Structure formats: structure tokens, C-alpha cells
Amino acid sequence: MNKTKELYEKITNAKHCVAFTGAGISTLSGIRDFRGKNGLYKDTDADKIFDLEWFHKDPWIFYGFMKKFIDNFQNCEPSVVHNVLAKLEKSGHIKAVITQNVDLLHQKAGSENVIEVHGSPKSYYCIKCGDISKENNETVIELLNKNELPKCEKCGGILKPSITFFGEAMPEDIKIAQKHAQKCDFMLVLGTSLNVYPAAAIPEIALRSGGDIAIVNDMETHLDKWADFKFKDLESVFCELDGLC
């Protein structure tokens, strides 16, 4: 039997299948990943961009990068991976999509139960007073294009998106993701190098809880030898799955 068809049968026969996704699935939408062959970390100072201490020192380090990134993903469409996962969720075969991504493409594709373990860029808060802002990505981009930083209407402090930076506590969604990992009997691990913890531990939890995993990623991961399925090409695998759905 064709391996992709075997994968499809494994998904459809699972009692609690979940997907765990990383930046690699969005490269098919035109968004560069972080640690891949042509990743953003190859030409940016990654240690500073998502570091909370550096954000307090100079928020332009982050916002200069995010200006391009937000503008990019707002104009991108979901890839075949996003669309197939949404289709599988709608048919009841996938119970949740756990994502490390902050590009909102899962939601754009129609997935409803999206668990964002690295936070979301949909909301902003003040780093000075903690007030939740009414600003959204569109208005923030407008300010950045005028070389202005988004500021709190209440106290004038700098606004920060609700994305988890290094040095910050993980959002509550990480606990929800961990519960799904403990419960699932099959997990799709898609487009992630599994290098960023604690999120990268989620497939490990699935394995320790007796679940099986499939990995589709163009680079090796430390869990490859424990995977029931291992593919490299996301696009070809999901185009085949699309034809089976």
C-alpha cells in the first residue's frame, strides 16, 4: 500500500488525532521559516528579536523585523497543508491543531480548534501597565510605516503583541496542548525541527503517553527514529492526502 494512503488510514482510524505544526508548513505560503535552509535566522539577529529584555531596551529590534513579517503573512494564503488540516478537522478526523506559528493561516484556512502555544499576534498589551490594547496588526503596521511605535492610550507605554518571547511565561494554551498530547493516539508533526522548548516536548508527551507520531519535515529531528511515518516533502504528501479526503 502507498505510504501516504497508509498515513491517511492511520489518521481516519485514530480516536484522537491532533496535528502539531511549525514554521515549515507556512513556507508553502511564501513565509520564510526560522531555522530551515533559507530561514529568517540566517540573516537576522535572532537572539535579540524575540528576547524580552532586548524588547525593553529597544523595541525597534523586534518591530523592524515584525513590520516585514506581519505585512508578509497578511498577504499570504493558506497552503495545501493548512487547507487539508482544516478539511480533516471538519470531517472529525483531527480534534485540534497545535501550532507554534503566529501567522494565523490555520484560522484563515478554516481550522477552528487552533491551540497557539507561542501566543498570538491578534492582540497587544502594554509592557508598562499591562493594559490590553484595542490595536490590531493593521493599525500597528500603519504606525510602523510612519516610524512610530505603538503606544498605550492609558499610560504611553510601549505595546507588545501577545507572542511569547524568550524570558516570558508560556501562554495557557501550552497546558491545553499538553492535555491533547496525553490523550491523543496519533499525532502529525509537521514542518518543525523540534528545537524550541517547551513546545517541542509536546510530541514527546504523546509518545510517552502511548501515542504514535508521523513526522513530515525536510530536516532531521531527534524523534525521527520513534516515528511510525517519516516524510520529507510536505507539499507532495498533503497533495496526496487532499486527493484522499
Side-chain angles (χ1 to χ4, degrees), residues 43-237:
D43 53 20
T44 56
D45 196 344
D47 291 337
K48 294 181 180 180
I49 291 170
F50 294 103
D51 184 277
L52 187 62
E53 186 175 341
W54 275 103
F55 185 85
H56 281 274
K57 290 178 181 177
D58 183 4
W60 273 115
I61 293 174
F62 167 77
Y63 275 119
F65 165 81
M66 205 61 184
K67 176 182 173 182
K68 297 177 183 176
F69 190 66
I70 293 176
D71 200 36
N72 185 6
F73 77 64
Q74 283 186 326
N75 294 311
C76 288
E77 293 300 320
S79 71
V80 64
V81 182
H82 299 100
N83 290 328
V84 169
L85 290 178
K87 190 184 292 188
L88 288 168
E89 181 188 357
K90 189 174 182 179
S91 63
H93 296 308
I94 284 183
K95 306 303 180 187
V97 174
I98 303 166
T99 188
Q100 300 173 88
N101 300 340
V102 294
D103 54 32
L104 306 176
L105 288 176
H106 283 301
Q107 293 89 331
K108 200 170 184 179
S111 290
E112 294 184 5
N113 191 16
V114 181
I115 301 164
E116 298 172 302
V117 294
H118 286 160
S120 173
K122 289 183 291 186
S123 64
Y124 288 75
Y125 71 92
C126 176
I127 61 172
K128 185 177 180 181
C129 72
D131 196 47
I132 303 297
S133 173
K134 296 177 182 177
E135 297 285 8
N136 56 36
N137 287 333
E138 288 79 9
T139 55
V140 168
I141 285 294
E142 287 177 12
L143 288 169
L144 296 178
N145 284 334
K146 294 187 287 186
N147 292 317
E148 296 177 21
L149 288 169
K151 294 184 179 180
C152 176
E153 292 182 359
K154 186 176 178 181
C155 73
I158 302 296
L159 297 181
K160 177 188 171 297
S162 299
I163 298 170
T164 307
F165 280 26
F166 296 112
E168 280 190 298
M170 296 293 284
E172 284 298 308
D173 271 13
I174 192 75
K175 295 179 182 177
I176 301 171
Q178 290 166 347
K179 288 179 181 178
H180 274 287
Q182 290 168 345
K183 188 177 181 180
C184 81
D185 53 351
F186 191 47
M187 178 178 286
L188 299 170
V189 181
L190 310 172
T192 173
S193 57
L194 297 176
N195 284 327
V196 180
Y197 284 84
I202 289 168
E204 297 173 10
I205 294 171
L207 286 168
R208 287 198 302 270
S209 302
D212 297 324
I213 65 171
I215 297 175
V216 191
N217 193 56
D218 64 356
M219 298 172 68
E220 292 183 356
T221 81
H222 68 286
L223 294 183
D224 285 358
K225 61 184 176 182
W226 286 287
D228 280 25
F229 299 86
K230 176 63 200 296
F231 303 90
K232 285 192 172 183
D233 193 328
L234 274 162
E235 186 171 23
S236 62
V237 169

